[in-house]
Amino acid sequence: MNKPFDVEIERLTAPGSESIRPLLGLAQAPERGTFFLETFGCQMNDHDSEKVAGVLLARGYRQVGTPDAAGLILYNTCSIREKAAQKVFSRLGEYRAKQSEGKIIGVLGCVAQQEGEGIFERAPWVSLVCGSASYRKLPELIAQLESGNHRVTGLELDTDETFETEITRRDNPFRAYLTIIEGCDKACSYCVVPYTRGPERSRASDSILREVRQLAELGYSEVQLLGQTVNSYADPTPRKMRFAELLLAVAEVPGIRRVRFTTSHPSDFTRDIVEAMEAQPKLCEHVHLPVQSGSTKVLRAMQRTYTRDEYLGKIAMIRSARRPIAITTDIIVGFPGESEANFEQTLSLLDEVGYDSLFSFKYSPRPNTPSLKLNDVIPEEEKSRRLAVLQDKQREIQSARNKRLTGETFEVLVSGKSRRENQWSGYTSSYRLANFTSHATELLGTYVQVRVTGATPNSLVGEHVV
Ligand code: SAH
Ligand code: SF4
Ligand code: F3S
């Protein structure tokens, strides 16, 4: 997911190690050393890093902002497309010399899981390789490194626990991420996630609700429930809460004002979710529903488990809700065997659905995935052409959709302040970025009413209505 910002926003400093330690009763933890943690990839990786940072802070480590200042350098990596994985190795290359300065270098996340001990061969200066399903072992692995071990790994994939930590050092002071389901049991033929994150494991509903209550007490009013297929949630407790029930229970926690969830899989998107959204305005009016392709033939080759018509049925169900619900999606162009006619079906789907935003990617062949074996590979230039055509079309659609909102007023949770005077930004419930003017002196973290005065394809422009 990208994080679009049209104006230059001063990034806010999240509660740092210094401010959070006394809060967590950690003032007495002995000072151990310093760590630098860089994260690539999706929101789940961002959130894992928040938990990893929490684990290290609890052990007395201090987080620093540069690899130069750190004793322990950690990369939490993404393997979803080839480019993402390459970036990790080029970054590791840059820090090769650091090992000789006595620094410990570790690779976490999806590339760690995918490449395993192969990382030690490609980058012998790395001493720790650990995938997300093994993060519970991290303190133990770090202790082994501290006691002189040179190479340690955590690569078990089939762990039945979810990664819960006592402490999570959240980066975003306004919206708290919360993973409710780890791994993925779908088998999309292009995707590494089932291999890098393991089988689906849902977190107990009572544990989720306990954390939401804590978050509300810490002052968070917006929570975002995460999972690769978040709506496949299956409560492992005897309570057996359905996903829609869980959404409602989270929304009812005192202090919670907004609940988001991502990513939803179309096949598991049931009517009761829409009904919950109709009934409870705290459930944000936005659904991210990746379609991947508008062609049933391509969807079948992707093993996506739904047809174009079935997907459109889900869209109709969402559009029939009594509240307007924004819909966003992910699309892959140039999947093996995608003909020009198949691609045009994706273009026509964009017209039919009218997405509020989309993320689009050129198909990238990934190790061990079934689609590697498919013939009729689409040349790179053709993939680039299709991507450009798709993005041009979507830009027009978004521009028109956003312009239609001129004159309307939306509630915005203010999360950014521009260097330009009186300029603020934040997100609407529908997850539209709004850049707006206000003469108020302090708005960060508050909910304000913004009247839309104009629009770009990626954002709304407006003014604070007092
Ligand atoms: N679990 C989510 C998203 C997974 S990854 C889902 O099922 O929708 C995020 C997006 O990356 C996917 O939706 C897909 O559009 C894209 N993606 C995944 N594997 C890819 C690959 N091999 N090549 C190009 N894009 C890919
Ligand atoms: Fe990958 Fe498909 Fe699972 Fe999404 S649903 S993570 S695309 S295998
Ligand atoms: Fe990347 Fe792993 Fe997320 S491959 S997209 S970091 S699940």
Side-chain angles (χ1 to χ4, degrees):
M1 290 263 144
N2 65 357
K3 297 128 191 164
F5 267 133
D6 271 4
V7 292
E8 212 184 323
I9 301 296
E10 272 172 39
R11 295 274 324 176
L12 290 149
T13 22
S17 50
E18 296 319 314
S19 57
I20 204 165
R21 288 171 59 84
L23 249 176
L24 297 163
L26 290 174
Q28 279 85 31
E31 169 89 28
R32 266 232 161 70
T34 47
F35 72 97
F36 169 77
L37 174 57
E38 184 172 5
T39 310
F40 304 95
C42 60
Q43 286 142 322
M44 248 153 294
N45 250 23
D46 284 342
H47 184 41
D48 281 348
S49 281
E50 295 176 337
K51 293 192 266 187
V52 167
V55 165
L56 291 172
L57 289 167
R59 289 177 51 80
Y61 283 87
R62 191 160 53 83
Q63 190 164 10
V64 292
T66 63
D68 281 331
L72 175 61
I73 301 174
L74 296 173
Y75 288 110
N76 189 2
T77 59
C78 173
S79 170
I80 200 82
R81 282 166 291 274
E82 199 182 344
K83 261 204 195 129
Q86 276 168 354
K87 197 152 99 190
V88 175
F89 284 101
S90 70
R91 190 65 113 242
L92 283 175
E94 286 169 33
Y95 292 112
R96 183 180 191 155
K98 303 264 179 254
Q99 188 219 20
S100 56
E101 296 166 19
K103 295 180 191 287
I104 293 173
I105 299 174
V107 181
L108 311 178
C110 292
V111 175
Q113 191 67 51
Q114 179 131 27
E115 304 285 327
E117 300 191 354
I119 292 185
F120 296 135
E121 261 135 63
R122 274 180 83 173
W125 53 95
V126 169
S127 354
L128 163 74
V129 174
C130 183
S132 69
S134 305
Y135 287 158
R136 276 190 161 263
K137 271 180 68 184
L138 259 185
E140 185 190 321
L141 296 176
I142 289 168
Q144 287 172 15
L145 286 173
E146 284 170 352
S147 60
N149 257 335
H150 291 304
R151 283 189 174 167
V152 296
T153 55
L155 294 168
E156 294 76 21
L157 204 50
D158 211 352
T159 51
D160 52 8
E161 301 147 330
T162 51
F163 179 47
E164 281 171 48
T165 46
E166 274 173 77
I167 302 163
T168 300
R169 212 290 263 127
R170 288 189 159 80
D171 288 325
N172 185 327
F174 310 117
R175 186 192 316 144
Y177 288 146
L178 203 71
T179 300
I180 66 161
I181 171 168
E182 302 267 2
C184 181
D185 272 355
K186 302 279 190 276
C188 305
S189 62
Y190 51 83
C191 184
V192 292
V193 172
Y195 313 99
T196 62
R197 287 188 166 263
E200 203 176 280
R201 286 99 69 208
S202 289
R203 185 172 162 186
S205 54
D206 45 0
S207 147
I208 296 169
L209 291 169
R210 199 177 320 122
E211 189 169 355
V212 173
R213 283 192 290 272
Q214 281 167 359
L215 288 168
E217 277 162 24
L218 282 170
Y220 285 98
S221 60
E222 180 172 316
V223 291
Q224 181 159 5
L225 309 182
L226 299 179
Q228 287 296 344
T229 54
V230 73
N231 56 326
S232 315
Y233 178 76
D235 186 4
T237 71
R239 212 165 155 192
K240 295 213 180 311
M241 256 195 189
R242 292 178 56 82
F243 177 63
E245 285 176 79
L246 178 72
L247 288 177
L248 291 171
V250 169
E252 275 151 27
V253 170
I256 296 300
R257 194 152 158 180
R258 281 184 172 181
V259 183
R260 300 185 184 280
F261 55 93
T262 198
T263 292
S264 297
H265 193 285
S267 298
D268 296 334
F269 205 87
T270 44
R271 187 171 292 280
D272 57 348
I273 303 173
V274 178
E275 285 164 359
M277 294 174 86
E278 281 183 327
Q280 174 52 276
K282 290 180 186 176
L283 299 181
C284 286
E285 48 196 48
H286 171 215
V287 174
H288 185 62
L289 201 66
V291 64
Q292 314 299 359
S293 168
S295 146
T296 295
K297 187 198 93 184
V298 175
L299 288 172
R300 200 173 306 126
M302 288 177 163
Q303 292 168 208
R304 275 298 282 186
T305 71
Y306 51 85
T307 62
R308 176 192 173 103
D309 283 348
E310 283 162 353
Y311 181 86
L312 285 171
K314 303 285 176 175
I315 296 292
M317 187 172 86
I318 298 170
R319 291 265 184 254
S320 72
R322 285 191 297 273
R323 294 167 71 197
I325 296 176
I327 304 175
T328 57
T329 202
D330 293 348
I331 285 176
I332 297 176
V333 299
F335 190 75
E338 183 190 68
S339 66
E340 184 61 31
N342 298 151
F343 172 62
E344 276 167 19
Q345 286 178 299
T346 299
L347 295 179
S348 75
L349 186 91
L350 297 199
D351 283 324
E352 228 167 296
V353 176
Y355 289 110
D356 294 285
S357 173
L358 65 77
F359 299 102
S360 48
F361 311 99
K362 290 189 273 184
Y363 166 70
S364 167
R366 305 303 297 128
N368 309 319
T369 56
S371 65
L372 266 187
K373 298 199 187 75
L374 296 177
N375 297 322
D376 196 6
V377 166
I378 310 298
E380 202 50 36
E381 315 79 76
E382 179 57 16
K383 285 193 224 169
S384 301
R385 188 193 68 82
R386 290 182 192 176
L387 188 71
V389 170
L390 182 99
Q391 290 179 343
D392 281 350
K393 182 171 198 62
Q394 179 60 22
R395 199 168 301 118
E396 278 174 29
I397 293 173
Q398 267 174 236
S399 192
R401 288 186 77 79
N402 281 350
K403 276 206 186 90
R404 253 183 275 151
L405 301 175
T406 305
E408 289 194 37
T409 299
F410 295 98
E411 185 188 74
V412 168
L413 168 55
V414 187
S415 53
K417 179 181 182 176
S418 168
R419 287 198 184 88
R420 275 189 285 151
E421 222 182 318
N422 304 328
Q423 279 292 322
W424 304 80
S425 69
Y427 286 88
T428 62
S429 164
S430 59
Y431 207 55
R432 286 187 179 85
L433 172 67
N435 294 311
F436 63 96
T437 48
S438 170
H439 294 283
T441 47
E442 190 47 74
L443 290 178
L444 288 172
T446 65
Y447 290 82
V448 299
Q449 296 294 318
V450 171
R451 199 175 64 83
V452 179
T453 54
T456 75
N458 290 318
S459 66
L460 304 176
V461 180
E463 58 196 14
H464 181 189
V465 192
V466 194

